[in-house]
Amino acid sequence: MSDQYLNLPISPADTAFGLMAEYDADPHPNKVSLIAGAYRNEDGRPWVLPSVQEAKARLTPNQHHEYLDIAGSPGLIKLAQSLTFSSEIATALDKSIASIQTVSGTGANHMAAHFLAQHLRPSRVFIPSPTWINHKTIWATTGISIEEYPYYDPTTRAVNITGMLSALETANPHDVVILQACAHNPTGIDLSQTQWRRVAAVMKRKNLFAMFDSAYQGFATGDVDGDAWAVRYFVKQLILDGEPDHPGLCVAQSFSKNFGLYGERVGALHLVVPRHLSAEGARSELIARARAEYSNPPHFGASIVETVLGDEGLRAQWLRDLETMSVRIKEMRQELRKRLEDNGTPGDWSHIESQIGMFSYTGLDREQVARLKEEFHIYLLPSGRASICGLNEGNIEYVARAVGLVVGLGHD
Ligand SMILES: Cc1ncc(COP(=O)(O)O)c(C=O)c1O
């Protein structure tokens, strides 16, 4: 019994990271990676945002490597709160909000899951079907029962709002509902404002805890306020105009995508309780957890985000950088759709253009995805999720033709 750990079975590799390793090892000259949730520029390379580059240049001469506070940089946390909630709402929430810097969005999700499992004690956590793969993995470590709610309807290629609302009607008070704030991963399909309002009404009436995962603010549309609409609407409904016995909500915020700081691990967790309550106790508990898990969050990336958001000129440059990324992605969507249609590829490809954010749920099945890899060295996730960032002028026609061939073009 005691030496079982010496002979543990090998866990399956993470699908996305496993595929990336296969891609790296593939010597084919025309290989294309549509795997990673990381932006690539028109040359297919990682892009250091000009705002980030400038912040680094300003920081480097004076940058020390001391520990941050356990809760992270107070300056960054304030800026992160305003970015998420707007400064008016953040001020209105005052002591009802507990925020700490986290090890990026994943760390924020993990911290929230364990905190809520212990203190809110939901009977279930509701996660979208499908969703970012790590939601299930993280919540599985808490022991809380996981329930998938219908999110995507493959026949209509739209949100299954009826199924989603019916599932939420079965929830018990204080159950946790994971909601992606914008640019839903993996489908690229978000709720409309009318649909968000319906979800908020059910969650308010049933006293459910909304846990927003915000990994793409500004990246989705280029508009940081527009991408935060749902979060701010829920705060107004459930907290500012909410009932005193409402359990509250939280936001797991990532700066990986919107700052291109994937490896620096910058993020924050914001826990909001009803306005008449103080979140000070919750904050002290989050700090105690952080101390036990990693002591202090990473410093360098946090300094970059703080420098950019705290400086008017750099912030304006950052907004332009977001525009650059979101516009390039939109152009690649239009171009892929156009080429698929111009090539006479069977099927309706309008969804490639109408979906938003980094990913497209292409509708390709597992067999077609496998053929793309085996025959054409084009890599995407088995679910048919393609990262649109991997497309550029140099490979888009090759990809469009290959997709045409695997969906049956020229075979009938
Ligand atoms: C929906 C969603 N949440 C959270 C994350 C976390 O990313 P990170 O840990 O790099 O901030 C991702 C990354 O792909 C994501 O897609």
Side-chain angles (χ1 to χ4, degrees):
M1 207 48 190
S2 61
D3 61 2
Q4 255 182 6
Y5 79 96
L6 295 173
N7 199 18
L8 282 169
I10 297 169
S11 304
D14 179 88
T15 311
F17 281 89
L19 267 177
M20 282 187 237
E22 271 189 68
Y23 171 83
D24 286 341
D26 185 341
H28 197 273
N30 295 336
K31 65 180 178 176
V32 178
S33 172
L34 307 178
I35 311 164
Y39 183 76
R40 294 289 176 263
N41 67 10
E42 55 284 356
D43 302 320
R45 293 185 202 291
W47 192 54
V48 181
L49 277 56
S51 54
V52 166
Q53 221 149 22
E54 173 59 25
K56 274 163 58 172
R58 287 190 196 176
L59 282 171
T60 310
N62 307 317
Q63 185 68 27
H64 58 68
H65 300 283
E66 297 300 296
Y67 291 125
L68 281 177
D69 276 358
I70 301 172
S73 159
L76 173 70
I77 287 166
K78 248 196 144 18
L79 291 161
Q81 283 179 345
S82 306
L83 188 66
T84 304
F85 301 109
S86 78
S87 40
E88 296 75 44
I89 294 178
T91 307
L93 291 169
D94 190 28
K95 293 214 175 328
S96 304
I97 178 166
S99 298
I100 65 162
Q101 193 184 316
T102 54
V103 183
S104 210
T106 303
N109 272 276
H110 181 270
M111 180 69 86
H114 282 264
F115 174 88
L116 295 171
Q118 188 181 351
H119 296 289
L120 184 66
R121 298 173 184 242
S123 66
R124 283 177 291 176
V125 55
F126 286 74
I127 66 172
S129 173
T131 192
W132 179 48
I133 197 157
N134 230 359
H135 285 147
K136 204 182 247 180
T137 318
I138 288 170
W139 278 89
T141 65
T142 66
I144 299 293
S145 165
I146 300 170
E147 175 99 13
E148 291 185 84
Y149 65 81
Y151 182 81
Y152 177 73
D153 181 347
T155 52
T156 58
R157 291 201 172 116
V159 172
N160 179 356
I161 187 68
T162 317
M164 177 174 177
L165 291 172
S166 313
L168 298 186
E169 287 291 352
T170 72
N172 297 312
H174 294 196
D175 279 354
V176 175
V177 181
I178 307 283
L179 301 162
Q180 292 194 33
C182 65
H184 184 270
N185 176 6
T187 65
I189 296 169
D190 288 342
L191 278 77
S192 65
Q193 291 191 358
T194 310
Q195 290 171 333
W196 277 121
R197 285 192 173 92
R198 293 177 70 189
V199 171
V202 173
M203 293 189 58
K204 185 172 182 173
R205 172 167 49 78
K206 293 193 66 86
N207 267 352
L208 307 183
F209 186 97
M211 185 179 155
F212 278 97
D213 188 359
S214 177
Y216 298 95
Q217 188 184 355
F219 193 95
T221 62
D223 170 9
V224 289
D225 295 314
D227 287 352
W229 185 89
V231 170
R232 295 175 190 176
Y233 178 78
F234 269 63
V235 170
K236 282 186 203 131
Q237 294 298 311
L238 275 54
I239 306 294
L240 297 177
D241 298 336
E243 299 300 328
D245 63 343
H246 196 272
L249 59 75
C250 74
V251 183
Q253 181 179 26
S254 167
F255 292 107
S256 291
K257 324 277 172 169
N258 52 7
F259 277 82
L261 288 172
Y262 308 93
E264 301 298 340
R265 317 309 290 143
V266 199
L269 173 64
H270 309 286
L271 178 72
V272 187
V273 298
R275 193 154 51 148
H276 65 286
L277 297 176
S278 163
E280 273 303 306
R283 183 168 179 276
S284 69
E285 168 66 18
L286 291 171
I287 289 171
R289 283 181 173 275
R291 178 67 169 144
E293 285 188 24
Y294 51 82
S295 269
N296 320 81
H299 193 162
F300 186 58
S303 304
I304 294 171
V305 174
E306 188 172 339
T307 304
V308 171
L309 291 180
D311 179 280
E312 216 178 303
L314 283 182
R315 194 184 177 102
Q317 177 62 49
W318 176 61
L319 295 176
R320 289 195 292 277
D321 298 342
L322 287 171
E323 189 76 14
T324 301
M325 293 191 285
S326 58
V327 165
R328 194 184 94 70
I329 292 172
K330 278 183 212 147
E331 283 171 359
M332 285 299 106
R333 288 185 177 283
Q334 280 167 3
E335 197 58 35
L336 181 60
R337 174 188 178 182
K338 182 173 179 310
R339 288 180 194 233
L340 288 166
E341 289 175 354
D342 289 354
N343 293 346
T345 314
D348 174 3
W349 298 99
S350 55
H351 59 285
I352 302 277
E353 190 175 348
S354 59
Q355 293 164 347
I356 66 160
M358 201 172 246
F359 303 113
S360 173
Y361 223 38
T362 57
L364 296 170
D365 63 28
R366 276 175 183 265
E367 202 183 316
Q368 290 163 337
V369 169
R371 279 190 63 199
L372 282 177
K373 185 174 95 175
E374 299 313 324
E375 296 173 31
F376 301 98
H377 305 265
I378 297 169
Y379 293 70
L380 49 154
L381 291 192
S383 62
R385 186 196 84 172
S387 175
I388 295 295
C389 306
L391 294 173
N392 54 56
E393 285 301 327
N395 63 24
I396 197 162
E397 182 59 21
Y398 175 68
V399 171
R401 292 221 169 265
V403 169
L405 289 169
V406 302
V407 300
L409 186 61
H411 286 269
D412 47 2

